[in-house]
Amino acid sequence: MTVILNNGLMALQHVNATTSKHFVKVLVVNLMPNKLETERQFVHLLSHLSVDVAVTFFKNEFTSK
């Protein structure tokens, strides 16, 4: 099905061909060091679901000391 990227590193790379009015909203908190690769893995896994998914990646502006 369709994965709708609301934001994230891959959002500019994806073009959503069709968008359904019926989709599941998912918020992902990505704490992994390689964020782009992790986003790709999430999108790949979510694209195999039988429902459309709208993904928002949480952006934490906090920098650890």
Side-chain angles (χ1 to χ4, degrees):
M1 295 306 269
T2 303
V3 176
I4 303 162
L5 297 174
N6 293 322
N7 67 350
L9 300 173
M10 293 182 55
L12 297 177
Q13 299 173 9
H14 268 342
V15 176
N16 300 314
T18 60
T19 55
S20 171
K21 292 184 180 184
H22 305 287
F23 53 85
V24 175
K25 293 180 182 179
V26 176
L27 175 66
V28 177
V29 179
N30 184 358
L31 301 176
M32 299 302 290
N34 188 343
K35 299 211 181 308
L36 180 58
E37 181 61 27
T38 305
E39 283 187 20
R40 283 189 184 129
Q41 292 171 354
F42 271 111
V43 170
H44 177 74
L45 290 171
L46 294 171
S47 69
H48 288 75
L49 296 176
S50 60
V51 296
D52 292 336
V53 180
V55 180
T56 301
F57 289 96
F58 178 77
K59 291 189 176 189
N60 185 1
E61 301 300 325
F62 177 75
T63 307
S64 61
K65 295 180 182 181

